[in-house]
Amino acid sequence: MILEGNAHRFIKPDGNDNDINTDYVISGRYKFQCEDYNELATHVMEDLDSNFYKNIKKGDIIVAGKNFGCGSSREQAPIAIIYAGISCIIAKSFARIFFRNSFNKGLPLIECDTDKIEKGDKLNVDLEKGIIKNLTKNFDIKFNAIPPLMLKLLHDGGLVNHFKKNKGFNID
């Protein structure tokens, strides 16, 4: 599975890109207000960049520092990212519950050093080989490839869709 898109980075008011919490991903004020996921997607990351949704293209990639997705177990965060058209998130690390929710919903997450990736860089991500190609600056970053079982879940659109498609859990 190969993904390609432009990198988007967010700097919090404290001046860094670590600890981007789920309230930054999708503000809690929309938790019950937006029941339509397409509408919810229009508010992704708006507290850090009010024009983010207007500026992304399908397949674009969020890039961050450490502990992306901390703060709550809200499933709306990865769902809103998916509906916004983001193909994956690359970060130094992820909050564990966000990590699990994202894969369960079908959103690929990649852990690696993100220091050399800048906003606007065009990236090509090979989930099977574990290679990010920075097409803008002509360098590669290696990461642990996504295991075949997880790739199958991603290909099926997440855990629930995998169960529906296979009438249960199928690792073949």
Side-chain angles (χ1 to χ4, degrees):
M1 183 180 251
I2 295 179
L3 309 171
E4 194 165 286
N6 292 320
H8 295 269
R9 291 194 85 127
F10 302 93
I11 303 301
K12 296 184 325 189
D14 67 4
N16 73 64
D17 65 351
N18 295 325
D19 304 312
I20 303 288
N21 65 46
T22 54
D23 274 333
Y24 284 128
V25 174
I26 189 70
S27 176
R29 67 183 173 272
Y30 300 113
K31 185 175 181 182
F32 299 110
Q33 181 180 339
C34 297
E35 293 183 18
D36 177 353
Y37 292 144
N38 290 307
E39 182 184 342
L40 191 65
T42 66
H43 300 289
V44 168
M45 307 302 283
E46 77 177 12
D47 287 346
L48 293 177
D49 179 354
S50 61
N51 292 313
F52 175 65
Y53 184 76
K54 295 174 193 166
N55 293 327
I56 57 175
K57 294 184 178 101
K58 186 169 177 65
D60 279 356
I61 298 166
I62 292 175
V63 178
K66 297 176 189 170
N67 202 28
F68 187 95
C70 60
S72 81
S73 60
R74 210 180 295 150
E75 287 185 337
Q76 289 98 331
I79 290 170
I81 291 169
I82 291 167
Y83 274 78
I86 297 298
S87 64
C88 69
I89 303 173
I90 302 169
K92 291 180 179 179
S93 65
F94 294 92
R96 292 297 102 190
I97 192 137
F98 181 82
F99 188 88
R100 184 171 48 244
N101 284 341
S102 294
F103 274 94
N104 284 347
K105 295 299 179 185
L107 177 65
L109 303 182
I110 297 157
E111 290 183 330
C112 67
D113 184 356
T114 59
D115 287 341
K116 293 182 181 178
I117 302 172
E118 295 180 10
K119 183 177 181 176
D121 286 353
K122 184 159 185 104
L123 306 176
N124 176 290
V125 181
D126 189 325
L127 297 177
E128 293 174 37
K129 291 183 180 175
I131 298 173
I132 300 167
K133 293 182 181 291
N134 187 317
L135 303 174
T136 303
K137 298 190 175 104
N138 197 29
F139 66 84
D140 294 349
I141 299 171
K142 293 186 182 199
F143 64 93
N144 290 330
I146 307 292
L149 172 60
M150 300 300 281
L151 282 172
K152 187 166 182 59
L153 291 179
L154 291 172
H155 180 70
D156 289 344
L159 187 61
V160 171
N161 289 336
H162 174 81
F163 267 77
K164 288 178 183 176
K165 178 181 175 183
N166 296 287
K167 296 180 179 44
F169 192 67
N170 180 357
I171 60 172
D172 295 328

